[in-house]
Amino acid sequence: MSEQLNAFEMAQEQFNAVAKQLDLGDGVSEMLRWPMREYSFRIPVRMDNGEIRVFQGFRVQHNDARGPNKGGIRFASDETMDTVRALATWMTWKCAVADIPLGGGKGGIIVDPSTLSDREKEELCRGWVRAMWKNIGPRNDVPAPDVGTTPQMMGWMMDEYSRLVGQYTPGVFTGKPVGGGGSLGRTEATGYGVIYTVREAMKHLGMDPKKSVAAIQGFGNVAQYASIGFIEILGGKVACVACWDRHEKKSFTYSHKNGIDPRFLMTIVDQYGTIDMQKAKAEDYSVDDGDAWIAADADVLIPAAKEGMVNAETVKKISKRVKLVAEGANGPVTPEADEYFKAHDIFDIPDFLCNAGGVTCSYFEQVQNDMNFYWHKEEVLDKLDQKMTAAFHGVLDMSKDKNVYMRDAAYMVAISRVVKAMELRGWLTGSV
Ligand code: GLU
């Protein structure tokens, strides 16, 4: 992300533009422009060398009019309160656009998880819960994994919460490991959800998925399953993936003349998303600069890494062939890049629609936890497909109806649903 870009300012800018068009009024806009609650706390951890290190933790609860706050916890060395605010705000819109009865939240810790041992990670996870347990719960705020966090971490966090409240409470965290309260299909859900929306967008644009080529940024959970889905569900080809190399401290683009094989790359990527370069080269992969993915000769771009990656600078490198951008990450496209897409007639599936598959499956996980009855993988993925397809068409219809860009249409659908819930709960009429 460029130095100047502040994700929360970007989230507010996007919101302001649509709030004006919807004529929301100052009071309601002010309620939605800022998160309702924010927590900032310190987490002391005894490290393996015997020393105590203190980490900075966050949780932001943006809006819970439609149901408990919901959203991941990121472990990232560049985490800030403003990034967490932006991500929490986008979660409110994401749950509303997917039409699941949840609100928006996000958490984080300033840490590079690859520098921690497993024991230190577990201590940090448990410490986060000890700081927050009174303010989260299945009926008020339900965290999940995100960048830098894993199903195992959610298992530890759920365990710590259950110990503190004195009863097994699986529904307090989602994205837990299968067999430890998790749902089948959760691992694939975000990436496959991206692909379900790509499939619907291609129908709308008259593109043939089997003749389509994608270029993908990232090779974490979302990008891995988006690549697999692009090939196995749609029958297309993935020209390249770009990923961060934690040893070299820069990113690289991996491409292959026959298209990349994500299932092979998954055998040589570590848990932090770094591909083993030597092993890739041994299988004839070419390795280029980290920005090369965006200039690839492709029909579809899937930025599935971090916020701000498609910006005023990088957007100019996009090949003329690109017709569709599917935002697998949260906030990868800046307002300047949006203007470029509009000017060049590139169809964009905005982040909080495109990547809503993860939280939708989290919702299914919570439902299964509450029922104490677990579904087959096909059932989970079927229900996910239905939800994502309905969400995509809800936004597309709005975009046609009002003749607006897809991101604005997604905001219109989401904001209207949240405002409606606030109205129905009496938040906008009686005592506020
Ligand atoms: N972290 C994911 C997201 O940004 C999933 C959130 C969840 O499952 O609650 O959508």
Side-chain angles (χ1 to χ4, degrees):
M1 184 164 50
S2 68
E3 294 280 311
Q4 307 85 329
L5 191 111
N6 173 313
F8 187 49
E9 283 169 12
M10 177 170 133
Q12 288 187 316
E13 197 179 313
Q14 292 167 347
F15 170 80
N16 289 344
V18 180
K20 219 188 257 165
Q21 291 180 57
L22 287 177
D23 225 355
L24 278 193
D26 290 348
V28 177
S29 296
E30 197 50 26
M31 283 172 83
L32 292 170
R33 190 179 291 121
W34 281 88
M36 294 299 252
R37 276 175 298 276
E38 303 181 341
Y39 302 89
S40 170
F41 43 90
R42 311 281 287 163
I43 310 169
V45 171
R46 185 162 310 274
M47 307 301 280
D48 290 347
N49 65 6
E51 282 168 19
I52 291 177
R53 211 174 124 193
V54 184
F55 294 87
Q56 177 64 45
F58 306 104
R59 184 73 183 169
V60 172
Q61 298 170 344
H62 175 259
N63 185 287
D64 59 0
R66 287 175 44 90
N69 298 287
K70 184 82 192 83
I73 301 176
R74 302 208 306 181
F75 282 13
S77 45
D78 58 355
E79 199 65 295
T80 64
M81 181 54 111
D82 268 354
T83 332
V84 183
R85 283 176 176 143
L87 292 160
T89 309
W90 284 323
M91 285 310 300
T92 301
W93 313 136
K94 191 180 301 191
C95 295
V97 98
D99 205 10
I100 53 176
L102 296 164
K106 199 67 130 199
I109 298 182
I110 303 177
V111 61
D112 173 355
S114 70
T115 61
L116 303 178
S117 70
D118 280 351
R119 191 200 65 81
E120 290 166 342
K121 277 182 208 159
E122 180 172 348
E123 286 302 315
L124 190 53
C125 287
R126 290 185 185 276
W128 191 95
V129 176
R130 283 196 293 274
M132 273 305 295
W133 70 281
K134 288 203 169 137
N135 304 296
I136 60 171
R139 297 292 170 263
N140 61 347
D141 187 3
V142 185
D146 202 290
V147 173
T149 48
T150 62
Q152 175 59 75
M153 292 179 179
M154 298 304 115
W156 291 325
M157 288 178 154
M158 180 276 280
D159 179 72
E160 188 67 21
Y161 181 87
S162 295
R163 287 185 198 202
L164 288 162
V165 299
Q167 55 182 307
Y168 177 57
T169 313
V172 62
F173 284 88
T174 60
K176 302 179 294 297
V178 172
S183 171
L184 289 167
R186 178 67 182 82
T187 311
E188 295 86 348
T190 316
Y192 281 11
V194 167
I195 295 306
Y196 300 147
T197 65
V198 167
R199 182 193 62 209
E200 296 307 307
M202 283 182 163
K203 282 186 205 159
H204 165 67
L205 298 170
M207 292 168 73
D208 180 353
K210 295 201 167 51
K211 291 193 186 126
S212 297
V213 177
I216 299 185
Q217 186 191 34
F219 204 59
N221 171 265
V222 182
Q224 289 172 10
Y225 286 95
S227 321
I228 291 177
F230 199 85
I231 297 165
E232 296 179 8
I233 300 175
L234 300 182
K237 181 170 145 181
V238 178
C240 58
V241 289
C243 72
W244 180 253
D245 188 310
R246 65 190 178 90
H247 311 294
E248 301 289 328
K249 304 245 173 297
K250 64 190 285 257
S251 49
F252 295 101
T253 300
Y254 289 81
S255 53
H256 196 281
K257 58 180 184 319
N258 305 327
I260 61 126
D261 174 357
R263 293 205 184 264
F264 162 69
L265 291 178
M266 277 168 76
T267 65
I268 60 163
V269 67
D270 70 14
Q271 58 174 308
Y272 307 106
T274 296
I275 290 175
D276 185 323
M277 194 182 291
Q278 295 324 318
K279 289 189 180 153
K281 282 184 172 164
E283 294 296 322
D284 288 336
Y285 278 80
S286 326
V287 184
D288 294 298
D289 187 69
D291 269 356
W293 76 280
I294 204 168
D297 186 24
D299 311 278
V300 183
L301 294 183
I302 306 183
K306 276 184 126 180
E307 59 277 6
M309 292 301 181
V310 185
N311 51 43
E313 255 165 67
T314 57
V315 79
K316 289 186 210 131
K317 301 183 186 162
I318 287 184
S319 135
K320 291 218 167 25
R321 185 172 158 189
V322 172
K323 289 190 205 63
L324 173 60
V325 176
E327 300 181 23
N330 291 313
V333 173
T334 65
E336 293 83 6
D338 274 332
E339 291 312 313
Y340 183 94
F341 291 172
K342 288 178 199 167
H344 292 80
D345 211 14
I346 294 172
F347 187 88
D348 180 71
I349 313 173
D351 52 357
F352 63 81
L353 166 64
C354 190
N355 70 33
V359 72
T360 301
C361 193
S362 276
Y363 165 58
F364 296 157
E365 179 175 333
Q366 227 201 357
V367 170
Q368 295 170 76
N369 291 154
D370 280 353
M371 296 164 90
N372 206 10
F373 178 77
Y374 290 80
W375 311 340
H376 295 299
K377 189 167 176 179
E378 291 69 36
E379 189 177 350
V380 174
L381 293 177
D382 254 20
K383 286 188 162 72
L384 179 67
D385 194 348
Q386 284 170 29
K387 275 284 191 199
M388 294 302 294
T389 302
F392 177 86
H393 286 285
V395 173
L396 182 65
D397 289 350
M398 176 68 91
S399 138
K400 286 183 188 159
D401 217 42
K402 303 268 183 237
N403 195 21
V404 289
Y405 184 58
M406 280 291 276
R407 189 184 315 286
D408 293 348
Y411 267 103
M412 286 176 177
V413 170
I415 294 172
S416 311
R417 287 185 183 153
V418 174
V419 171
K420 178 91 190 157
M422 295 202 298
E423 251 165 40
L424 292 172
R425 292 183 65 167
W427 292 9
L428 307 181
T429 44
S431 57
V432 186

